[in-house]
């Protein structure tokens, strides 16, 4: 019996494009990853997150190494409130529900985008494997990607206060969230956005004091700064599992760990800012989505703290870039996307032999396709007229 009939393939395609199917698959991924890692006692990241709540309640230093886990926390004090509902549960249930909450926020962000429903669904499928990689590490980066997408979408929908809230929440949990400010020029109600942002930052700054004390929270923000500064210095190690970035590629290719981040960041920021000169393009949804893709990728490839599970952020940018293309059938666009999917998304899997995976890791090559695509985005944003881009927003 041939199951690959035209009728069966049509039914399968129809099923895969249903939002309910995407949500079911992501739910399954969250359940499987959470259960597997808990069952194998491989959930150290979750323990770090869980104890942010308990250490806040007990007024204990948030950034020390503790015997309950084999690392240190690097998230802001507001994370204690975010993780609280899960920290109060047994670890097995907390692990699974934490993963589910992360993918729910990611999908919320993807399906909020001002692009056709089918394209949103394809973006979700493209991101699924990278999301799974992050789920195995219980990474907050999944939810953070969703928060960045939401900050963009709500700003486009003229809901400035909600957008500002998502930016404030993402920033005070993990500094990457600040990149949501890149969309500031797309709003006409700038004063409303600024006031909403200031209020959101103030409320979220104060909120952890409800379960601790003002003095403890203020001290914790100082401790957080020193923790991040220390971590940044460790990331540049030539054998680290982090620094999967443009700087990491150069440092590891040359063997020079002392190459500083600053020159790369300055050049990167100049290139990132160049498309802002095309003010007349701001009104076009295609241009805005390209800036979103640029922002997501930039956040990762110019961070020495980037590790493999961080690439859910960048790969969401890759997926958006691919789906925005006016002519996605151009051979070089397809080739570049396939290159990214294989080297960035699939390189940690057993598709690659162990020596090849180790070579890719040691030279931070997971970042390479994203660097090339980011430069392509900047070129396209500077050259193309986005008025001709057909970006449907069909519910």
């Amino acid at each position: 019996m041939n199951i690959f009939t035209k009728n069966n393939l049509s039914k399968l395609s129809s099923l895969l494009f249903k939002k309910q199917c995407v949500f079911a698959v992501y739910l399954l991924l969250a359940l499987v990853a959470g259960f597997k890692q808990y069952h194998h006692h491989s959930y150290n990241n979750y323990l770090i997150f869980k104890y942010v709540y308990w250490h806040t309640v007990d007024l204990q230093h948030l950034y020390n190494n503790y015997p309950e886990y084999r690392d240190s926390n690097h998230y802001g004090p507001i994370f204690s409130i975010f993780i609280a509902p899960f920290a109060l549960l047994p670890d097995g249930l907390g692990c699974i529900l934490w993963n589910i909450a992360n993918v729910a926020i990611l999908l919320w962000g993807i399906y909020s985008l001002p692009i056709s429903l089918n394209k949103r669904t394809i973006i979700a499928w493209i991101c699924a494997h990278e999301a799974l990689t992050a789920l195995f590490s219980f990474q907050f980066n999944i939810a953070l990607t969703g928060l960045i997408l939401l900050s963009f979408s709500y700003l486009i929908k003229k809901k400035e206060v909600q957008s500002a809230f998502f930016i404030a929440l993402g920033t005070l949990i993990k500094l990457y969230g600040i990149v949501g400010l890149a969309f500031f020029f797309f709003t006409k109600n700038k004063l409303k956005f600024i006031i909403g942002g200031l209020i959101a930052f103030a409320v979220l700054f104060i909120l952890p004091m409800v379960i601790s004390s003002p003095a403890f929270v203020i001290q914790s923000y100082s401790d957080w700064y020193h923790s991040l500064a220390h971590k940044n210095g460790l990331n540049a190690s030539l054998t680290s599992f982090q620094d999967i970035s443009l700087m990491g590629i150069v440092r590891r290719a040359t063997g020079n760990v002392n190459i500083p981040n600053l020159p790369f960041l300055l050049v990167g920021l100049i290139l990132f800012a160049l498309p802002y000169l095309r003010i007349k393009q701001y009104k076009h949804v295609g241009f805005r989505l390209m800036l979103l893709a640029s922002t997501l990728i930039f956040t990762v490839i110019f961070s020495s703290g980037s590790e493999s599970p961080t690439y859910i952020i960048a790969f969401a940018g890759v997926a958006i870039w691919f789906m925005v293309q006016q002519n996605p059938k151009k051979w070089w666009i397809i080739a570049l996307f396939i290159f990214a999917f294989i080297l960035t998304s699939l390189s940690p899997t057993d598709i690659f032999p162990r020596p090849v995976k180790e070579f890719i890791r040691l030279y931070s090559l997971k970042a390479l396709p994203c660097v090339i695509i980011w430069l392509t985005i900047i070129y396209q944003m500077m050259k193309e007229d986005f008025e001709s881009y057909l970006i449907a927003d069909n519910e």
Side-chain angles (χ1 to χ4, degrees):
M1 180 179 178
N2 183 14
I3 62 171
F4 297 105
T5 64
K6 185 175 181 181
N7 186 46
N8 286 341
L9 291 174
S10 177
K11 289 180 179 179
L12 177 60
S13 176
S14 178
L15 175 64
L16 292 176
F17 273 98
K18 288 185 180 294
K19 186 190 296 188
Q20 296 88 334
C21 178
V22 174
F23 275 76
V25 169
Y26 267 79
L27 175 62
L28 183 62
L29 294 177
L31 284 167
V32 169
F35 177 80
K36 177 182 180 294
Q37 297 302 84
Y38 175 74
H39 181 70
H40 288 90
H41 305 284
S42 182
Y43 56 102
N44 196 61
N45 276 346
Y46 177 77
L47 291 176
I48 295 172
F49 301 159
K50 166 186 171 178
Y51 279 101
V52 172
Y53 169 76
W54 291 111
H55 291 154
T56 301
V57 171
D58 295 335
L59 305 182
Q60 292 180 276
H61 196 294
L62 294 182
Y63 305 99
N64 284 341
N65 289 316
Y66 286 95
E68 296 94 340
Y69 45 79
R70 302 175 300 280
D71 203 339
S72 58
N73 166 49
H74 299 292
Y75 291 171
I78 188 60
F79 190 65
S80 62
I81 301 296
F82 193 82
I83 194 68
F86 310 96
L88 294 168
L89 297 171
D91 286 347
L93 182 59
C95 283
I96 291 172
L97 292 179
W98 169 252
N99 271 355
I100 291 173
N102 272 268
V103 296
I105 295 172
L106 173 62
L107 290 174
W108 181 16
I110 290 173
Y111 278 97
S112 73
L113 293 173
I115 195 169
S116 73
L117 180 58
N118 281 351
K119 288 185 176 181
R120 282 177 272 172
T121 298
I122 294 172
I123 289 169
W125 282 121
I126 291 172
C127 293
H129 183 265
E130 206 61 52
L132 180 61
T133 299
L135 283 168
F136 279 121
S137 299
F138 300 97
Q139 286 283 345
F140 172 72
N141 290 318
I142 303 168
L144 181 60
T145 305
L147 293 177
I148 296 171
L149 297 177
L150 288 166
S151 69
F152 171 85
S153 297
Y154 275 83
L155 195 68
I156 299 302
K157 295 173 183 176
K158 300 180 181 179
K159 296 181 179 180
E160 293 83 5
V161 174
Q162 292 93 323
S163 173
F165 170 80
F166 291 125
I167 293 172
L169 180 61
T171 303
L172 292 178
I173 291 179
K174 187 171 183 175
L175 292 181
Y176 285 175
I178 196 70
V179 300
L181 293 175
F183 318 128
F184 174 76
F185 294 104
F186 294 156
T187 178
K188 294 180 180 179
N189 298 315
K190 292 181 174 56
L191 182 60
K192 182 180 177 183
F193 178 78
I194 292 169
I195 293 173
L198 292 174
I199 293 173
F201 271 101
V203 171
L204 293 172
F205 182 90
I206 294 169
L207 197 55
M209 298 178 187
V210 174
I211 61 171
S212 57
S213 74
F216 174 81
V217 171
I218 292 169
Q219 181 60 49
S220 291
Y221 275 102
S222 174
D223 296 336
W224 187 28
Y225 169 79
H226 293 293
S227 167
L228 293 176
H230 176 69
K231 180 174 179 285
N232 187 61
L234 297 176
N235 289 338
S237 165
L238 297 180
T239 57
S240 167
F241 281 83
Q242 298 185 320
D243 202 16
I244 303 178
S245 62
L246 174 58
M247 300 83 73
I249 292 174
V250 176
R251 276 192 280 260
R252 292 174 179 187
T254 61
N256 184 359
V257 74
N258 295 316
I259 294 176
N261 290 333
L262 187 58
F264 294 92
L265 288 173
L266 289 176
V267 174
L269 284 170
I270 291 170
L271 291 176
F272 180 83
L274 282 177
Y276 285 106
L277 296 174
R278 303 189 71 197
I279 297 173
K280 291 183 179 179
Q281 296 292 325
Y282 287 9
K283 61 186 177 182
H284 302 307
V285 177
F287 182 85
R288 295 177 175 190
L289 285 165
M290 286 288 246
L291 181 65
L292 172 61
S294 172
T295 302
L296 290 164
I297 299 172
F298 176 91
T299 303
V300 177
I301 63 173
F302 285 96
S303 169
S304 61
S306 294
E307 53 190 336
S308 185
T310 313
Y311 270 77
I312 178 58
I313 302 173
F315 216 72
V318 171
I320 292 167
W321 164 78
F322 186 64
M323 296 314 300
V324 169
Q325 296 303 310
Q326 179 70 356
N327 187 0
K329 293 183 180 180
K330 285 184 178 179
W331 70 267
W332 65 270
I333 292 175
I334 295 173
L336 195 48
F337 173 73
I338 293 173
F339 177 52
F341 192 78
I342 292 173
L343 188 55
T344 298
S345 192
L346 297 182
S347 60
T349 70
D350 291 335
I351 292 176
F352 288 81
R354 184 175 293 275
V356 176
K357 286 196 292 186
E358 188 65 10
F359 179 82
I360 292 170
R361 184 187 72 80
L362 285 176
Y363 288 94
S364 297
L365 295 180
K366 184 180 174 85
L368 181 59
C370 292
V371 171
I372 296 172
I373 288 175
W374 182 74
L375 292 171
T376 301
I377 291 171
I378 299 301
Y379 172 77
Q380 289 181 308
M381 292 184 74
M382 291 301 296
K383 176 179 179 292
E384 298 183 8
D385 181 5
F386 289 86
E387 184 175 7
S388 62
Y389 275 54
L390 300 176
I391 308 295
D393 185 12
N394 303 321
E395 292 296 336

